[in-house]
Amino acid sequence: MIATADNERHKDAVIIGGGIAGLQSALDLADQGYKVAVVERQASIGGRMISLSKVYPTLDCASCITTPKMSAAAHHENIELLTYTEVDSITPGPNGHTVVVTRKATHVNADKCIGCRLCEYACDTEYPDDFEQGLGSVRAISVAFTNAIPQKAVLDADYCLACGLCLRACPTDAIEFDQQPRQETIHADVVIVASGFQLNALTIKPQYSAAQNQNVISPLTLERLLAPHGPYGRVLRPSDGKIPESIAFVQCAGSRDQSIGVPYCSRVCCMYAIKQAMLLSGSLPTADITIYYMDIRAFGKGYEQFYQNAKAMGINFVRGKVSKIDSVDKDDLLVHVEYTEEPQDCVRKQRHDMVVLAQGMIPQWNPTSFSPVQIGSDGFVATPDSVSPCTTNVPGIFVAGAAAGPKDIVDSIAEAGAAAMEAGRYLSKRAHLDHTARTVALELIA
Amino acid sequence: MDNKDENVVRDAAMPTTPRVGVYICRCGGNISDVVDTEHVAEICRLIPGVAVSKVHTFMCSDPGQQTISDDIKQEKLDRVVVASCSPFLHELTFRGAVVRSKMNPYLYEQVNIREQCSWAHKHDPRGATAKAIQLISAAVGKVSRATPLAKIRLPNHRRALVVGGGPAGMKVAADLAACGISVVLVEQSDRLGGKLHTLNRLFPTGQAAIQLAAKMESQVLADPKIEILLNSKVTKVSGFIGNFEVGIHGNFGPSGKTTEIHTTVGVIVMATGFKPYVPREGEFNYKKHPTVLTTVDFNSLLATQNTEGRTLHYEGRSIGSIAFIHCVGSRQVDGVHTPGPDGRLNTYCSRVCCTTVLNQALQVRQRFPETRVYDLHQDIRTYGRGHEEYYTDASRAGVVFFRYHGDEPPTVTNANGPTSPLRINVKDYLSWGEELELEVDMVVLAVGMTAGPCETLVDQLKLPRGEDDFLQEIHPKLRPVEISVNGVLLAGTSQAPMNIQETLAAAGAAAVKARAMFTTEEVELNPYVAQVDTHLCEGSGVCLTQCEYDGALAMVETQENGHSVRKAQVNPGLCVGCGACVAVCPTQAINVSGWRIDQYDAMVDGLVRDVEPAMV
Amino acid sequence: MAGKFNPDLHLDITGFGGKDIDMCMNCGTCTTICPMSEDSGGGFPRRVIRLIQTGQQSKLEETLDPWLCYYCGDCTTNCPRQANPAETMMASRRYLTARYDFTGLAKLFYKSAVAEILAIILVGLFVTGLFVAFHGPMVLNKVELNTFAPVHAVELGDWIMAAVLSFFLLAGAARMTWWTLGRKKMFRISPLIFIQQIPVFFVHLFTQKRWKKCGSHHSGIRWMKHLLLVSGYLSMLTLVLILLRWFQTDKIYPFYYPQRLWGYYATIALLYPTVDFMISRWRRKEPIHLFSEASDWIFLVMLFLTALTGIMVNIFRVGGLPMATYLIYVIHLSIAVPMLVVEVPFSKWSHIMYRPLSIYLYGVKQAATRANRAADEPASEKVAA
């Protein structure tokens, strides 16, 4: 064996991103007996999916699907989770890839922390909670969220006042104010990029007044509002806490729009809007819910039925792209839209209490500056091989999930499995080569 | 799992009085918003045998599982009940948790107080709470009488049967073979490639389909680990994961004669593909007018029409205009569309047709600039990466789009005989619902995908089909390529409509699961199978008459006190634990492990136990 | 399809300067972003685009929509597919101008800049020829314009030209009226409504006040510049048609005399906007000036040159340069006359008639619809009873 320093690891595979795609790839590879490291920039694995309420088309609660996979990954003997860690570079070489990562300072000794949260309860510095889309607040030292993995506290130095309350509360003396970020190196034969997506800015179309009116919200915010363990425990609109009586979904608010430079379809928005509309009509049975769309793209297995069910439930579907949203009476919203299918008075200004903008999906991560991985014109990782849809331009580097273009959970999971298969093939080919090389070497010695 | 069940079985001595830990999950509010979980926990402490009763926001989370582990050690628990969601979701999770604490996983019981209490009785919190208590009480009764069980271990044949030689089948075969697993690839036609041969230019790469077919075929042919059987069909299949006995019928081999071979495989991959929808005669004038084609026909027309011209030509005629009609055989509406011969309406979306049409329309406009193209759709579903570009490019190329509603499909008539142009009437919702009339020389029907043929396997393995007739996976996210029959996997369009890239991804996902199944020398099966108490069995054979699973039960001659007696014997690989035999045994000699009659009695006792008189 | 169906209509409109008509996916953004659309019966510009896409030529001819658009360009800026609705509306106006004109000259001029320029040159040469052949004596010791070109003769020419132009323009206006009021439906409109609405025509002819409702791109300023131009143009028209005897004098009045002040005003009112518009078109700084057809340039250049040569006549006259005055006078008319002859009935300038007429007709339509609805209601009530 090669002697390794403390900050070096040897793995078969490194997965970049601990979201649903990354976890699925990790589990599939680990089940085949490969040693895997999952690098996640957040304090917990689970990615976008863990923050969702329920997921289409089965309406399972998202946690119920994600937590078992998170838990399985955390307990798998072949998987090591590196959370709160950023990737600095990926360098391919003749003996596999060298992945340099930075373990960000959590200021908490992970070995000592038992996740009791006493530090969090003691801390009296709060800041808006990203996980709750800024609706709730979080302490300067906290465990990421209820079902986070790992259950380890992270201290955010940007907000910490170093008052020492947590220090006194911690029963295991785990808090280390002077902890420094440290760089580590992972050597691995394959890398799977599962870095996922982000949404483009809510304000990308100034016509939609998101900067002026708090009730123009992101779908991810609505997910938190709908989640049973969300910030308010029910759906209230952000500006004044009113129970919204009329909610609009504005589709293609950040995609299929050349005027904002996102010409492609974000693929998931139609279905999650329908899902959210259904959940809303469950929690607010008297509310008026309208979805303004251009084309309803309910293409997957069971999706069309889901759409038809929503129509039967009384959700209004209006074909027309919203051109403008104005504030009216301070908090309400006026949606300008052409009812393109109706013959008379088709230009309308509809009043709503809350508007959800279907923001476009854009890549979370641009690997080009610190790795040889190439991206397509849409910014997502390019997949040049048509037979193996998960391969990138670099042998041994694969891609899964929304890192290779907008994708829903079902398709991300399928693709994550495929990426694991491609990686597995690559690994077994290398193992075979290694074996041959070793045999040749032994023969030479003999 | 690093703990072998056997060890755990040996370690778990049957206690005289069980110590049951009851754990109630709030499911982040999913349960606790309706069921008073704290109250349930309090009451459950009163149930005989319960040593610990606790509530947690997410039992399935790491800290939740840790609580169980800690209690097993500290409170010396020997039975665990978790009241949370459906066991379908988390039984395996919690079994894993108890195994990590060196407890036998079958001394764990899950109660579903979410689907069955909080969700079902949303508006009756008191009732839901009472019901939760009753269900937990029953489970405590059952688990108290549970005995440690071990998974059934059977040999695992490191060989896979891939049914279907299309792109999905070839991809699975190539993937598995590359990992050293031998594969039998069965294809009913005389060549590999499947539907790739009916396609032309693939979207979004623009690659020629036959080129892809050839590339994949050469990969498969080059691998000695893959045995390819063309012109053949699976005629017989039986067995279970790791041990499927398969009979394949076909004229392979050098003699060219029809023969049948038998082989044993560990895994069966269903890459049986789809059938394109065939319009009824007269549907949009199909088969009544020579220039009403399907997208499948049109693909071959585009492929064969090599001469570039001002207009497309078909059967000697210049085609000045083409109308594509979307959703033919997809998104059908009850009362508007005529059901197929099987009485089925295809209400689902076939996913690929929109981009297929735009791909074809664009090719027409690019290659035959004087052939006009009209596109009649419901929604344009160019969802995938690079697909929207087809829509944009088709627009730019002058394709004119019309939007109809599913319950008002366009009509195609040919008033003046087969040589006259076709007339299309459409209520166009891009023109405010106005009735428009088009005259065109050709109509191309964008036919959807319907479930592919795989009757033998479906019947013999009892594979479930979904509402849409496609093979039904267990769960689209948790177990997307697995079907309820263990050891059978789904690859590609046997499961649902997919385009070629999605098919290949799905095939990869199936391959990775198949490969994972081969990582162990043995397969592990649930121990919930029938078990015969040989002391009680009198060899009546009644059980055999009720058993529906070939080979699961047999009467065998054994020697008992020097006499030859007939006793029932269970083949645990084939028994599904349905319990039909249990019900008919005159001597109660047969029982299903983990679901014994005395456990049922205990459950009933638990259900009627008056745990909280004040409440009900 | 009802009426005339023309599958190549989108190509026709492209020939008139339409851009990316095929790119429209009918999402409705343009229609809702348009500040005019709601008050104009709803649905434009998409209605126009859709009629073009589906080749419904008759319906396009029957619509007033293109004339109700003032090209703020908001639709084009907001279009998610860069389908350029505003330019489609512009092209539709050109197309309709050509359709209203029964001679076919408008179509020729719009589609061929060469033809338009040739026509202008021909008419210009004709005017020059007239002067060469029939000019009066050239007094060279002082400026005597009325001797060189007697005012009554010029006035006669003016009136003949005005009559010819009016004939073509009115013919176009008649076709527009006939088509847009629905060919058959017209007879259901009471003549009283036609009379009642007449003030609308003149209000909009003189003020273009509808424009002020138009979108965000400096429409107010554009409207004022345009109003300045119109006032200059109408001033000139008044001065040369009605007041020519008062305007074209050899006596040089003091600077503050109304004759000179009015003339200067008209010159500035023509020169400033034309120069400004030319710069804007050159720099493409506003959405409306992103695309310029030859006809747009010819219109601006000719108008500019007319005003420029006009003021030069005055400068030379006041400066006491007889030969230069006569020469520039001939040049002035050789530019002004062809501009009027070609542009007013057959090209861009025809909008002086079609714009106010369309608003008038729209008003008539609205009033008639109201009247018919009022007439129908009691009837239906009776049936119901």
Side-chain angles (χ1 to χ4, degrees):
Chain A
M1 279 306 288
I2 309 156
T4 58
D6 242 14
N7 58 352
E8 289 207 18
R9 284 175 174 77
H10 286 263
K11 297 280 177 191
D12 292 314
V14 173
I15 318 272
I16 297 168
I20 190 66
L23 291 177
Q24 186 64 49
S25 288
L27 285 167
D28 281 340
L29 274 173
D31 282 347
Q32 295 178 55
Y34 295 116
K35 299 282 180 201
V36 181
V38 177
V39 181
E40 167 59 51
R41 72 192 167 94
Q42 303 278 19
S44 168
I45 55 168
R48 295 277 175 196
M49 187 178 172
I50 191 68
S51 74
L52 305 181
S53 56
K54 292 183 181 176
V55 285
Y56 65 81
T58 45
L59 287 183
D60 290 308
C61 85
S63 295
C64 307
I65 310 289
T66 327
T67 2
K69 299 215 192 230
M70 288 163 68
S71 186
H75 292 131
H76 206 294
E77 58 182 1
N78 290 337
I79 298 178
E80 185 181 5
L81 301 177
L82 306 177
T83 50
Y84 217 52
T85 302
E86 299 274 1
V87 174
D88 298 332
S89 68
I90 307 169
T91 318
N95 299 313
H97 306 282
T98 307
V99 182
V100 179
V101 300
T102 296
R103 312 287 308 269
K104 292 182 279 188
T106 61
H107 302 288
V108 174
N109 183 322
D111 295 332
K112 289 185 185 169
C113 176
I114 55 168
C116 66
R117 295 194 169 200
L118 288 179
C119 54
E120 188 177 333
Y121 305 145
C123 178
D124 61 6
T125 309
E126 295 190 356
Y127 66 96
D129 189 355
D130 277 348
F131 184 76
E132 300 290 1
Q133 299 294 318
L135 293 178
S137 64
V138 68
R139 306 282 166 89
I141 185 165
S142 62
V143 174
F145 45 89
T146 324
N147 40 0
I149 288 182
Q151 283 281 314
K152 304 283 178 194
V154 170
L155 185 148
D156 192 321
D158 290 347
Y159 293 95
C160 176
L161 304 173
C163 65
L165 283 174
C166 52
L167 217 58
R168 287 191 284 279
C170 180
T172 59
D173 292 334
I175 292 154
E176 297 170 347
F177 279 129
D178 56 350
Q179 196 185 75
Q180 293 299 316
R182 55 181 201 280
Q183 219 168 36
E184 296 182 0
T185 306
I186 315 169
H187 303 279
D189 285 335
V190 299
V191 173
I192 297 181
V193 178
S195 48
F197 70 94
Q198 57 180 321
L199 297 180
N200 54 18
L202 201 59
T203 50
I204 193 163
K205 273 180 93 82
Q207 298 93 317
Y208 290 165
S209 302
Q212 292 82 41
N213 196 316
Q214 281 181 280
N215 297 327
V216 177
I217 64 168
S218 160
L220 289 175
T221 308
L222 185 58
E223 287 292 331
R224 294 314 301 158
L225 290 172
L226 286 165
H229 48 292
Y232 307 148
R234 56 191 176 140
V235 180
L236 302 173
R237 71 174 186 181
S239 76
D240 53 3
K242 181 187 155 184
I243 296 173
E245 283 154 27
S246 166
I247 301 125
F249 289 85
V250 174
Q251 298 308 103
C252 300
S255 25
R256 293 184 71 190
D257 194 336
Q258 295 181 9
S259 73
I260 53 168
V262 185
Y264 55 85
C265 165
S266 289
R267 188 163 170 161
V268 299
C269 328
C270 284
M271 285 302 290
Y272 74 60
I274 296 173
K275 172 203 76 182
Q276 291 183 335
M278 283 169 113
L279 295 177
L280 272 175
S281 74
S283 54
L284 307 170
T286 56
D288 267 337
I289 302 166
T290 310
I291 298 181
Y292 299 103
Y293 71 97
M294 292 198 281
D295 296 283
I296 289 290
R297 297 190 163 168
F299 56 85
K301 188 171 187 174
Y303 293 6
E304 176 70 18
Q305 200 52 51
F306 197 77
Y307 168 39
Q308 298 303 335
N309 290 349
K311 279 210 252 184
M313 279 171 79
I315 289 156
N316 302 313
F317 285 84
V318 174
R319 189 190 176 279
K321 178 151 171 143
V322 171
S323 65
K324 193 158 66 169
I325 302 171
D326 293 333
S327 292
V328 56
D329 293 343
K330 190 162 162 277
D331 286 334
D332 290 357
L333 295 149
L334 215 51
V335 166
H336 297 240
V337 66
E338 182 188 351
Y339 281 53
T340 60
E341 301 199 313
E342 288 185 21
Q344 298 295 324
D345 304 324
C346 42
V347 180
R348 293 195 199 160
K349 293 180 185 130
Q350 294 287 16
R351 197 184 175 116
H352 295 284
D353 289 339
M354 193 163 84
V355 173
V356 187
L357 297 185
Q359 293 157 271
M361 267 186 168
I362 55 173
Q364 173 69 47
W365 199 58
N366 182 350
T368 49
S369 55
F370 40 79
S371 81
V373 176
Q374 285 170 2
I375 55 174
S377 60
D378 52 7
F380 291 96
V381 174
T383 54
D385 187 342
S386 53
V387 186
S388 309
C390 305
T391 48
T392 67
N393 59 307
V394 186
I397 301 186
F398 304 92
V399 61
K407 216 158 281 139
D408 63 19
I409 297 165
V410 174
D411 292 334
S412 290
I413 289 174
E415 206 180 88
M421 187 66 240
E422 296 298 338
R425 271 183 81 159
Y426 185 85
L427 284 167
S428 53
K429 203 164 89 188
R430 274 186 81 88
H432 179 70
L433 288 176
D434 284 355
H435 179 74
T436 320
R438 216 175 302 138
T439 320
V440 171
L442 286 173
E443 277 168 4
L444 283 175
I445 293 164
Chain B
M1 279 168 217
D2 47 359
N3 295 299
K4 290 269 185 266
D5 295 346
E6 284 95 329
N7 302 336
V8 183
V9 172
R10 238 176 284 124
D11 294 347
M14 194 51 185
T16 40
T17 43
R19 288 180 63 77
V20 184
V22 176
Y23 298 89
I24 295 133
C25 182
R26 295 190 187 100
C27 199
N30 270 306
I31 295 171
S32 55
D33 286 351
V34 179
V35 172
D36 183 348
T37 42
E38 268 65 17
H39 180 68
V40 172
E42 224 166 89
I43 298 302
C44 285
R45 273 187 212 112
L46 308 174
I47 302 170
V50 172
V52 171
S53 174
K54 287 185 178 172
V55 186
H56 199 280
T57 306
F58 281 107
M59 272 321 300
C60 56
S61 67
D62 240 31
Q65 295 186 35
Q66 194 57 45
T67 312
I68 301 177
S69 298
D70 292 349
D71 285 356
I72 291 174
K73 286 187 198 109
Q74 284 153 23
E75 304 284 337
K76 310 225 173 330
L77 301 181
D78 51 38
R79 301 283 193 280
V80 169
V81 171
V82 174
S84 57
C85 52
S86 160
F88 176 75
L89 282 171
H90 278 313
E91 193 170 57
L92 287 177
T93 313
F94 295 118
R95 273 195 196 151
V98 301
V99 166
R100 280 197 296 278
S101 313
K102 310 269 185 264
M103 199 177 110
N104 183 280
Y106 298 94
L107 299 176
Y108 156 75
E109 198 64 36
Q110 185 158 352
V111 186
N112 182 357
I113 59 165
R114 192 180 72 176
E115 282 86 339
Q116 294 176 0
C117 296
S118 66
W119 285 0
H121 310 289
K122 206 174 200 166
H123 305 295
D124 179 15
R126 284 178 67 90
T129 305
K131 183 176 173 185
I133 293 168
Q134 281 179 303
L135 291 177
I136 294 169
S137 168
V140 170
K142 183 187 174 217
V143 81
S144 298
R145 287 175 174 273
T147 48
L149 299 172
K151 282 205 164 170
I152 298 159
R153 290 170 195 286
L154 296 160
N156 192 359
H157 284 86
R158 208 176 149 80
R159 185 168 158 82
L161 168 70
V162 177
V163 189
M170 288 196 287
K171 170 84 175 149
V172 173
D175 280 351
L176 289 178
C179 301
I181 296 156
S182 72
V183 178
V184 190
L185 180 60
V186 175
E187 165 59 39
Q188 60 177 354
S189 79
D190 59 355
R191 61 174 174 178
L192 293 174
K195 295 289 190 298
L196 278 176
H197 295 292
T198 68
L199 302 178
N200 181 26
R201 266 191 243 166
L202 301 174
F203 61 81
T205 51
Q207 190 188 15
I210 41 165
Q211 212 183 329
L212 178 64
K215 188 174 164 188
M216 295 189 80
E217 188 179 10
S218 64
Q219 269 184 21
V220 173
L221 289 172
D223 203 314
K225 287 255 172 209
I226 304 171
E227 185 184 343
I228 301 166
L229 303 177
L230 296 176
N231 299 311
S232 53
K233 274 186 165 175
V234 176
T235 47
K236 248 180 86 69
V237 58
S238 63
F240 46 90
I241 181 170
N243 303 273
F244 288 107
E245 301 293 332
V246 187
I248 303 160
H249 191 90
N251 53 350
F252 34 78
S255 65
K257 268 198 300 185
T258 303
T259 44
E260 183 152 330
I261 60 161
H262 294 271
T263 184
T264 307
V265 295
V267 160
I268 298 176
V269 181
M270 302 291 290
T272 47
F274 70 99
K275 275 188 314 214
Y277 174 81
V278 180
R280 282 175 297 104
E281 188 180 324
E283 185 174 0
F284 297 111
N285 243 310
Y286 185 66
K287 294 254 158 120
K288 297 234 167 161
H289 193 285
T291 56
V292 178
L293 308 180
T294 66
T295 36
V296 181
D297 306 329
F298 196 69
N299 256 329
S300 40
L301 174 62
L302 278 178
T304 52
Q305 187 129 120
N306 289 322
T307 48
E308 314 279 317
R310 308 293 299 168
T311 60
L312 180 82
H313 279 77
Y314 179 66
E315 292 184 346
R317 289 165 59 180
S318 165
I319 304 295
S321 52
I322 304 177
F324 287 89
I325 301 179
H326 287 242
C327 299
V328 177
S330 311
R331 297 183 73 183
Q332 290 180 322
V333 180
D334 193 15
V336 175
H337 293 94
T338 319
D342 55 353
R344 192 183 293 278
L345 270 178
N346 299 333
T347 54
Y348 56 87
C349 163
S350 289
R351 185 168 179 145
V352 299
C353 342
C354 278
T355 316
T356 301
V357 164
L358 295 172
N359 186 11
Q360 294 184 346
L362 196 57
Q363 286 182 53
V364 171
R365 291 295 300 155
Q366 285 166 347
R367 289 173 56 189
F368 311 104
E370 285 184 10
T371 300
R372 296 178 211 286
V373 177
Y374 305 108
D375 176 298
L376 288 76
H377 63 266
Q378 299 191 55
D379 293 282
I380 292 285
R381 293 185 166 169
T382 45
Y383 60 88
R385 192 179 187 189
H387 295 191
E388 185 75 10
E389 285 83 337
Y390 279 85
Y391 184 20
T392 323
D393 291 349
S395 295
R396 189 173 289 119
V399 175
V400 185
F401 292 87
F402 299 86
R403 181 183 163 90
Y404 68 89
H405 280 184
D407 50 359
E408 297 160 329
T411 57
V412 177
T413 46
N414 58 328
N416 304 317
T419 51
S420 70
L422 290 147
R423 186 181 302 148
I424 298 178
N425 288 84
V426 58
K427 202 167 175 196
D428 176 31
Y429 281 92
L430 298 179
S431 303
W432 305 269
E434 217 176 295
E435 289 273 3
L436 299 183
E437 192 178 290
L438 303 165
E439 284 213 337
V440 293
D441 297 326
M442 180 181 269
V443 169
V444 179
L445 308 176
V447 288
M449 288 186 172
T450 62
C454 46
E455 286 321 312
T456 315
L457 288 139
V458 167
D459 291 347
Q460 296 191 11
L461 288 170
K462 301 193 167 51
L463 302 180
R465 287 180 180 275
E467 216 177 311
D468 53 10
D469 210 28
F470 286 89
L471 295 176
Q472 184 66 41
E473 71 285 338
I474 293 180
H475 188 284
K477 298 186 186 75
L478 287 172
R479 297 167 79 183
V481 293
E482 293 164 79
I483 198 162
S484 59
V485 178
N486 222 346
V488 181
L489 298 168
L490 307 178
T493 51
S494 62
Q495 180 180 10
M498 292 178 195
N499 67 33
I500 182 73
Q501 285 186 317
E502 291 156 352
T503 299
L504 295 175
V512 85
K513 278 279 173 272
R515 195 188 175 199
M517 286 179 181
F518 289 126
T519 51
T520 51
E521 297 289 313
E522 294 174 315
V523 287
E524 294 180 337
L525 300 177
N526 270 332
Y528 301 131
V529 294
Q531 209 172 22
V532 181
D533 185 336
T534 45
H535 299 297
L536 295 176
C537 179
E538 292 176 352
S540 72
V542 188
C543 49
L544 221 66
T545 62
Q546 294 300 313
C547 183
E548 285 203 26
Y549 297 86
D550 289 347
L553 259 179
M555 300 306 290
V556 290
E557 299 279 331
T558 54
Q559 295 296 315
E560 199 179 277
N561 306 328
H563 302 285
S564 174
V565 287
R566 270 160 46 88
K567 300 273 179 193
Q569 197 182 56
V570 178
N571 180 341
L574 292 174
C575 175
V576 300
C578 70
C581 52
V582 181
V584 295
C585 179
T587 57
Q588 297 192 358
I590 197 161
N591 244 318
V592 174
S593 297
W595 294 92
R596 292 191 324 274
I597 297 277
D598 62 318
Q599 286 180 291
Y600 277 102
D601 291 342
M603 283 167 79
V604 175
D605 289 345
L607 276 176
V608 298
R609 184 180 293 136
D610 205 358
V611 280
E612 196 201 5
M615 180 101 190
V616 186
Chain C
M1 288 176 197
K4 193 170 173 202
F5 172 68
N6 171 9
D8 285 329
L9 188 57
H10 65 129
L11 298 179
D12 278 4
I13 307 285
T14 306
F16 283 93
K19 303 270 184 308
D20 305 306
I21 303 167
D22 301 330
M23 288 308 291
C24 170
M25 57 176 171
N26 291 282
C27 69
T29 300
C30 49
T31 312
T32 36
I33 207 82
C34 174
M36 316 287 288
S37 146
E38 205 178 352
D39 296 337
S40 313
F44 85 64
R46 186 172 80 84
R47 192 176 288 274
V48 171
I49 300 171
R50 189 62 187 157
L51 291 177
I52 297 169
Q53 282 186 334
T54 52
Q56 302 190 72
Q57 189 179 324
S58 304
K59 286 202 174 167
L60 183 65
E61 288 163 1
E62 286 161 16
T63 183
L64 290 165
D65 288 353
W67 298 108
L68 304 178
C69 157
Y70 289 85
Y71 208 142
C72 65
D74 277 2
C75 49
T76 290
T77 317
N78 282 274
C79 178
R81 255 218 179 163
Q82 298 179 351
N84 236 314
E87 202 56 28
T88 303
M89 294 299 268
M90 185 71 226
S92 305
R93 287 192 285 276
R94 297 190 192 113
Y95 171 81
L96 288 176
T97 306
R99 291 289 303 155
Y100 299 152
D101 167 44
F102 70 94
T103 62
L105 284 171
K107 187 174 178 179
L108 181 70
F109 294 159
Y110 269 128
K111 292 217 164 180
S112 161
V114 177
E116 187 169 356
I117 292 169
L118 266 179
I120 289 169
I121 292 172
L122 272 177
V123 179
L125 286 177
F126 175 71
V127 174
T128 315
L130 282 180
F131 273 102
V132 171
F134 302 112
H135 72 83
M138 284 191 278
V139 180
L140 291 177
N141 54 352
K142 58 174 182 169
V143 181
E144 272 192 22
L145 192 56
N146 269 325
T147 316
F148 174 73
V151 70
H152 60 270
V154 177
E155 195 180 48
L156 183 68
D158 278 356
W159 282 103
I160 292 170
M161 183 179 74
V164 172
L165 296 192
S166 300
F167 168 73
F168 286 116
L169 205 54
L170 286 172
R175 271 161 85 99
M176 180 188 196
T177 310
W178 178 240
W179 286 346
T180 54
L181 287 190
R183 290 175 191 180
K184 286 161 215 144
K185 278 177 257 163
M186 202 165 159
F187 299 105
R188 283 194 64 190
I189 303 172
S190 147
L192 197 64
I193 291 176
F194 282 101
I195 297 162
Q196 280 169 345
Q197 293 290 323
I198 284 174
V200 172
F201 178 87
F202 288 102
V203 166
H204 287 277
L205 173 66
F206 290 116
T207 68
Q208 303 90 45
K209 74 172 192 188
R210 199 183 153 76
W211 194 342
K212 283 198 288 182
K213 286 188 198 159
C214 193
S216 56
H217 283 282
H218 319 294
S219 281
I221 298 167
R222 282 195 53 76
W223 166 76
M224 277 177 41
K225 288 177 186 168
H226 186 269
L227 190 67
L228 188 66
L229 186 68
V230 172
S231 71
Y233 176 67
L234 290 179
S235 298
M236 276 303 173
L237 212 63
T238 315
L239 291 174
V240 300
L241 271 182
I242 302 161
L243 302 176
L244 191 69
R245 284 167 195 255
W246 174 68
F247 185 60
Q248 184 178 316
T249 54
D250 286 337
K251 180 167 189 266
I252 295 174
Y253 292 101
F255 177 75
Y256 50 81
Y257 195 72
Q259 180 219 37
R260 282 183 70 180
L261 279 185
W262 198 357
Y264 292 141
Y265 170 79
T267 307
I268 291 164
L270 288 173
L271 280 181
Y272 167 67
T274 47
V275 170
D276 182 75
F277 291 165
M278 282 194 283
I279 291 170
S280 180
R281 278 198 186 274
W282 185 255
R283 292 190 184 159
R284 300 173 156 225
K285 62 180 183 182
E286 287 179 46
I288 184 173
H289 292 152
L290 273 179
F291 305 99
S292 299
E293 292 291 304
S295 56
D296 300 321
W297 281 112
I298 294 169
F299 172 70
L300 281 177
V301 170
M302 295 298 285
L303 199 55
F304 169 75
L305 289 179
T306 305
L308 187 70
T309 50
I311 195 67
M312 279 167 77
V313 172
N314 179 58
I315 290 167
F316 294 146
R317 195 173 67 94
V318 174
L321 302 168
M323 197 57 208
T325 306
Y326 307 148
L327 197 63
I328 202 76
Y329 185 80
V330 173
I331 293 172
H332 173 64
L333 284 187
S334 300
I335 290 170
V337 171
M339 172 189 74
L340 291 169
V341 168
V342 172
E343 295 279 334
V344 172
F346 305 119
S347 190
K348 192 173 172 107
W349 218 333
S350 59
H351 75 272
I352 197 168
M353 165 63 83
Y354 297 141
R355 282 278 192 195
L357 182 62
S358 68
I359 298 165
Y360 165 74
L361 293 174
Y362 181 68
V364 168
K365 249 184 171 174
Q366 293 291 96
T369 314
R370 275 195 303 272
N372 288 338
R373 202 179 296 148
D376 287 348
E377 262 166 19
S380 58
E381 269 166 29
K382 246 176 264 166
V383 174

